[in-house]
Amino acid sequence: MSYKIYLYDTDTDCIGSGTLSSAYIQTQLDAAAGADVEVHISSTGGSAFDAIAIYDLLKKYPGNVTTYIDALAASAASIVAMAGRQVIMSKYALLMIHKPMVGTGGNADELLKDVQMLNAVQERLAQIYMDKSQLDGLTINSLINAVTWMTADQALDLGFIDLIEDYHTQITNSLLIKNYTNNAPVAYQRCINKILNINNNSMNIENKELIEKNTSVLNKIMNFFKKVVNKQTITDKGALHHSDQLEEGSEVFQDEDLSAPAITDIYTCADGKQLDVKQGKIHRITPSAEEESQLTDEEDDVPADKLKPAAKPLDIQSRMQQLKARLHAQNALLTEARAAIEEANANLQKTRTEVKNEIRSSFIPEGSKRSSKAQTEPVAFFAPQTEVAKNAVKKAIAS
């Protein structure tokens, strides 16, 4: 169990006096005897020298030190907060940094010495902030000179703290991805589990932190799994989206995110197959007339007493629905082709300089910190995306 130390201002004490002095903190650390320590801070500040002394004591302490900014860590108190191996800030707290100050008097030479002393103190304070945040000296001194007040989100973005303490369950990007990919093929689930370390939290920590901190990475992974999980079938009433093969009991949806169940109705596919959908699930699948005729041809050699009753003539309304579904498929292909042509025309209008600026090299020198965006190349301006479009292109090439 962690040993707790509270640096809370009182009516008489602040950083440097009473229970907030470096001498008192030393006695508290001696009592902790190497156990993990939690330092809770709620202070407007005080002595910069005592703050540096407390910072050094906490940094040299052999046990693990975690500092908590409970309400306010201002002025000298912000220096103490930086001493934690992990700095945790309440979502409602504030962090403030400013130039060191002194009350003084005397002649010009004495005042000049005070100015020199204050500049030296600011250099030491700035170094502590730089060591924690990894910001450069110019940025840190600009924040100090401006008297900067920071919320928890701002302090986290700038690197002054490591974690925001919230009282709600944190939903991480990795959890969102895991929930979304539950219906993906097993091979893809194994792949994403390996990336996210579902079974071993001691490995690939950088991958997990990258996914949970970088929204663009999350979007790329989510889009990838949408393509893996999401299949679509063109019908006379538009596209039906699904994650499994179409069979009785399969769930079908109206949208690509697989969130809105398909409306109860009878849908006719481009091949003439009819899907009886009820409450977002396929209740019954009726084969197309061609499939039924094939079954009839296969039964020609079967004895008459074992033949099934002949199928009814193709209903005109069913035939119209089949044609309507095929028109939907053709319109989908035409929409893709039209978009591709428009993009091609736009590319033709670009100047030589604009085209040159779009060229991205896939070569990255060893040790380069160049953005990963430079490694990506745009897809061809016309590449059929849906199965219907791909099949149509194959047929056109074959003919």
Side-chain angles (χ1 to χ4, degrees):
M1 187 173 180
S2 298
Y3 189 89
K4 299 184 188 304
I5 300 175
Y6 289 88
L7 295 179
Y8 281 14
D9 282 352
T10 67
D11 292 338
T12 57
D13 295 333
C14 60
I15 299 294
S17 63
T19 57
L20 288 83
S21 67
S22 56
Y24 181 80
I25 298 302
Q26 177 64 68
T27 62
Q28 292 293 298
L29 294 177
D30 290 341
D36 291 347
V37 169
E38 293 181 3
V39 181
H40 291 261
I41 302 169
S42 178
S43 173
T44 57
S47 167
F49 296 111
D50 244 55
I52 294 174
I54 296 172
Y55 175 89
D56 283 336
L57 287 171
L58 295 176
K59 278 294 185 182
K60 295 173 182 176
Y61 181 71
N64 183 59
V65 176
T66 304
T67 53
Y68 290 83
I69 302 174
D70 291 341
L72 173 65
S75 188
S78 66
I79 292 295
V80 177
M82 300 299 106
R85 188 171 299 176
Q86 186 176 41
V87 183
I88 301 175
M89 185 173 178
S90 167
K91 65 183 292 187
Y92 309 109
L94 290 171
L95 178 70
M96 187 272 276
I97 62 176
H98 69 155
K99 295 173 71 71
M101 298 182 293
V102 65
T104 188
N107 59 38
D109 292 337
E110 292 170 337
L111 293 176
L112 183 58
K113 289 180 180 178
D114 287 339
V115 171
Q116 294 172 344
M117 180 269 294
L118 288 172
N119 288 336
V121 172
Q122 179 166 334
E123 287 181 6
R124 297 302 87 213
L125 301 181
Q127 188 61 56
I128 291 174
Y129 295 133
M130 289 163 60
D131 290 343
K132 176 59 186 175
S133 66
Q134 299 301 305
L135 295 173
D136 60 88
L138 180 62
T139 302
I140 289 295
N141 280 289
S142 297
L143 294 172
I144 291 174
N145 296 338
V147 186
T148 302
W149 289 82
M150 288 171 270
T151 63
D153 289 329
Q154 292 168 335
L156 182 64
D157 290 339
L158 291 172
F160 287 97
I161 66 171
D162 303 300
L163 186 66
I164 297 176
E165 188 175 31
D166 202 345
Y167 309 105
H168 302 287
T169 302
Q170 185 179 12
I171 300 177
T172 62
N173 289 346
S174 57
L175 181 60
L176 291 174
I177 297 169
K178 178 62 180 172
N179 290 340
Y180 188 86
T181 57
N182 282 338
N183 293 327
V186 176
Y188 292 101
Q189 289 191 36
R190 284 199 297 266
C191 175
I192 198 65
N193 287 349
K194 187 174 182 180
I195 295 175
L196 299 179
N197 287 308
I198 301 301
N199 300 319
N200 187 350
N201 289 325
S202 64
M203 297 176 63
N204 295 331
I205 300 301
E206 292 182 358
N207 283 345
K208 182 180 293 186
E209 290 180 353
L210 178 65
I211 291 172
E212 292 180 352
K213 290 183 178 180
N214 194 324
T215 304
S216 65
V217 173
L218 168 65
N219 291 335
K220 290 177 183 177
I221 294 178
M222 292 289 281
N223 290 334
F224 169 74
F225 278 99
K226 280 184 181 180
K227 293 179 181 177
V228 171
V229 174
N230 190 346
K231 302 179 180 66
Q232 71 171 359
T233 299
I234 302 296
T235 72
D236 60 324
K237 296 176 178 64
L240 286 178
H241 299 271
H242 48 95
S243 60
D244 303 317
Q245 296 298 325
L246 286 180
E247 55 187 17
E248 292 182 1
S250 297
E251 292 183 331
V252 286
F253 301 85
Q254 304 177 52
D255 58 337
E256 293 183 353
D257 292 329
L258 308 182
S259 59
I263 300 172
T264 299
D265 206 337
I266 295 178
Y267 299 79
T268 302
C269 302
D271 59 2
K273 186 185 302 179
Q274 289 189 332
L275 308 177
D276 185 3
V277 176
K278 293 182 179 179
Q279 297 179 345
K281 291 186 178 181
I282 297 177
H283 180 66
R284 185 175 61 254
I285 299 178
T286 304
S288 63
E290 288 81 355
E291 290 177 346
E292 290 184 352
S293 63
Q294 289 176 2
L295 291 174
T296 303
D297 293 340
E298 292 174 358
E299 292 172 350
D300 286 344
D301 297 330
V302 178
D305 58 338
K306 295 185 178 180
L307 283 175
K308 296 181 180 178
K312 294 180 179 180
L314 182 63
D315 183 73
I316 296 177
Q317 185 177 1
S318 176
R319 182 62 177 170
M320 290 294 293
Q321 290 175 335
Q322 181 178 349
L323 292 173
K324 188 177 180 181
R326 289 181 178 175
L327 285 174
H328 270 282
Q330 292 174 1
N331 287 336
L333 178 60
L334 288 172
T335 300
E336 287 188 21
R338 187 180 297 112
I341 292 171
E342 290 175 356
E343 185 173 351
N345 288 331
N347 289 334
L348 291 174
Q349 300 301 320
K350 292 180 179 178
T351 64
R352 182 183 181 86
T353 302
E354 290 174 333
V355 174
K356 187 176 180 180
N357 289 338
E358 289 185 357
I359 297 176
R360 297 187 179 96
S361 172
S362 60
F363 171 73
I364 297 180
E366 184 176 356
S368 172
K369 296 182 179 179
R370 190 178 174 190
S371 170
S372 60
K373 291 182 180 178
Q375 303 176 42
T376 61
E377 294 291 341
V379 296
F381 68 87
F382 175 57
Q385 301 297 317
T386 64
E387 289 298 325
V388 174
K390 291 177 182 177
N391 292 335
V393 171
K394 288 180 182 178
K395 289 179 179 179
I397 295 173
S399 60

